[in-house]
Amino acid sequence: MGTARNLTEEEKKGYRELRWDDKEVCAFYMVRFCPHDLFVNTRSDLGQCPRVHDPKLKESFEKSSRHDAYVPKFEAELAKFCEKLVMDLDRRVRRGRERLAQEVEPAPPAPLSAEKSEQLSVLEEKIKNLLEQVESLGEAGKVDEAEALMRKVEALNAEMTVLTQQPQNDKVLMLAQEKKMALCEVCGSFLVANDAAERTQSHVTGKQHIGYGMVRDFISEFKEAKEKAREEEKLAREKEAEERRKQKKEYQSRRSRSDSGDRDKYRDRDKDSDRYQDRDLDRERSREWRGRGSRDGEREWRYKNGRDGGRDRHHNRSRSRSPGRHSHRRSSRSPVRRY
């Protein structure tokens, strides 16, 4: 079974089974079409493709899980190859268009035949004789006869012109026929304008016309898909940027509300702290006033009931400072003042 089924045992030793992703396999054939198959036996024949075309490998590629990942790569390679073909074809089309548009230069006059040469010689001789007669009649004053001979001379000159211009008339007819040619803008082939419908249909259904039509259609399709993908990617980036802006705005809004709530919370906490401090201060002051009041009351009670040592000390000091004692001391110490 497989591609090696017809090989000998000796050939099978160095044989390796091909896979669709091997470089020997034609990627163009895998994804769409190979241009080498489009122009066989035509003027645009590209020859045989150097890579492998195997329907089984193509089927394996279409069933592979990596199919979608490899299609863009293979299509890009095929588009590059087809664009080169179309560029070469467009150059040929431009040259063909210029060929039809340019003016055909008149060909040099063909040599006259012996018969025509003899006729021209006879005409030239007749014209020469007639001119001599016209000159003689003019000198004799015979104007009417001279004018009649001049008309004969003009007729002979006309005959000579016809004989010498016949080849040029043939060239004009050839130019008129050539200008009836037309150029196919799809495949660059020359066509006969206003040709029979059968011949025109035969050209349109030919390999070269169909092949270049497929190539041009694929390039247009590939470019449109690429442009569409680019637009979708651009829209996705813009949408993502818009989502980030919204998230940033919401975050800033939540943070602003949170900061405002924290400020209110801290403000309430400060108010509560101040209120608690005022309350503690009032309590301390109240305890101080109560303590001071109790001490003063106890001191007053002690003072009234004689239990205050300070009262006794005050009494003793008063008694020690009595006049009798002090006078006695002074009398014993003071000198006698004489009057």
Side-chain angles (χ1 to χ4, degrees):
M1 299 299 290
T3 57
R5 61 182 178 272
N6 297 326
L7 300 179
T8 63
E9 294 297 329
E10 188 68 22
E11 292 174 341
K12 288 181 180 179
K13 292 181 179 179
Y15 179 79
R16 183 179 67 87
E17 190 77 18
L18 283 177
R19 298 183 303 176
W20 61 263
D21 56 347
D22 288 337
K23 62 180 181 179
E24 295 85 1
V25 179
C26 181
F28 304 160
Y29 176 78
M30 292 289 105
V31 69
R32 287 293 186 93
F33 57 85
C34 180
H36 293 81
D37 296 339
L38 301 179
F39 308 106
V40 179
N41 297 328
T42 66
R43 289 191 308 163
S44 302
D45 195 339
L46 300 176
Q48 186 177 1
C49 181
R51 297 183 180 182
V52 176
H53 292 189
D54 190 340
K56 291 185 178 180
L57 292 177
K58 186 171 184 177
E59 183 180 357
S60 175
F61 169 67
E62 292 173 351
K63 294 180 179 180
S64 174
S65 59
R66 296 181 292 164
H67 174 270
D68 295 341
Y70 272 77
V71 165
K73 177 184 177 182
F74 289 169
E75 286 186 345
E77 294 177 357
L78 177 58
K80 185 177 179 180
F81 187 87
C82 290
E83 285 177 352
K84 185 178 183 301
L85 287 179
V86 171
M87 287 176 61
D88 296 339
L89 175 62
D90 288 342
R91 281 195 293 267
R92 294 201 303 268
V93 170
R94 284 194 299 269
R95 289 196 297 265
R97 196 181 297 118
E98 292 172 357
R99 176 183 171 186
L100 294 178
Q102 71 183 356
E103 295 182 0
V104 179
E105 297 180 358
L112 296 176
S113 62
E115 182 181 359
K116 288 184 178 181
S117 299
E118 186 177 356
Q119 291 176 359
L120 288 175
S121 299
V122 171
L123 291 174
E124 289 176 353
E125 187 65 27
K126 288 182 179 180
I127 292 172
K128 182 179 180 182
N129 294 331
L130 290 173
L131 291 175
E132 291 177 355
Q133 294 177 17
V134 169
E135 186 178 357
S136 300
L137 291 172
E139 292 177 355
K142 298 178 180 180
V143 178
D144 295 335
E145 290 83 349
E147 290 180 355
L149 292 178
M150 282 300 300
R151 285 193 291 270
K152 290 182 179 181
V153 171
E154 292 175 359
L156 294 174
N157 284 327
E159 291 181 13
M160 289 183 62
T161 302
V162 171
L163 288 175
T164 57
Q165 289 184 350
Q166 185 64 34
Q168 184 64 27
N169 291 336
D170 294 342
K171 188 64 179 179
V172 171
L173 292 175
M174 291 175 58
L175 179 60
Q177 291 179 357
E178 187 172 354
K179 285 189 175 180
K180 290 181 181 179
M181 299 295 292
L183 187 66
C184 179
E185 298 290 339
V186 176
C187 64
S189 299
F190 283 98
L191 305 174
V192 178
N194 301 322
D195 200 356
E198 294 180 358
R199 292 178 60 85
T200 304
Q201 184 65 24
S202 176
H203 168 75
V204 172
T205 57
K207 284 185 178 181
Q208 183 164 313
H209 188 89
I210 292 177
Y212 277 113
M214 290 179 61
V215 169
R216 292 182 183 275
D217 291 343
F218 170 71
I219 293 176
S220 299
E221 180 183 347
F222 178 78
K223 289 182 178 180
E224 290 177 0
K226 191 174 181 180
E227 184 65 24
K228 183 179 179 180
R230 188 182 295 109
E231 290 294 331
E232 291 178 353
E233 184 179 358
K234 180 180 178 181
L235 292 176
R237 288 197 303 268
E238 292 178 353
K239 184 177 180 180
E240 184 179 358
E242 183 66 22
E243 289 294 332
R244 287 199 299 267
R245 284 194 294 269
K246 288 183 179 179
Q247 293 176 1
K248 184 178 180 180
K249 187 175 181 181
E250 291 177 0
Y251 172 76
Q252 291 176 348
S253 178
R254 289 196 303 267
R255 184 173 181 180
S256 177
R257 290 196 299 269
S258 176
D259 293 343
S260 178
D262 292 342
R263 286 195 297 270
D264 295 340
K265 182 178 179 180
Y266 293 149
R267 190 181 300 111
D268 295 340
R269 184 182 299 174
D270 293 340
K271 289 182 180 180
D272 293 341
S273 178
D274 294 341
R275 191 161 49 249
Y276 292 151
Q277 290 179 359
D278 294 341
R279 186 182 301 171
D280 295 340
L281 184 60
D282 292 342
R283 288 178 180 176
E284 291 179 2
R285 289 176 179 175
S286 177
R287 285 197 297 269
E288 289 179 358
W289 282 107
R290 285 198 300 270
R292 185 181 300 175
S294 61
R295 287 194 299 270
D296 293 344
E298 182 179 359
R299 187 180 298 111
E300 184 179 358
W301 182 82
R302 288 179 177 274
Y303 180 79
K304 289 181 179 180
N305 290 280
R307 294 185 181 183
D308 191 1
R311 183 181 177 185
D312 295 339
R313 287 192 299 271
H314 178 73
H315 180 71
N316 293 331
R317 280 199 303 271
S318 300
R319 199 167 39 185
S320 63
R321 294 177 180 176
S322 60
R325 178 177 298 182
H326 290 294
S327 62
H328 178 71
R329 287 179 182 177
R330 282 197 302 266
S331 59
S332 59
R333 292 180 181 177
S334 59
V336 176
R337 180 179 296 176
R338 295 181 181 180
Y339 295 99

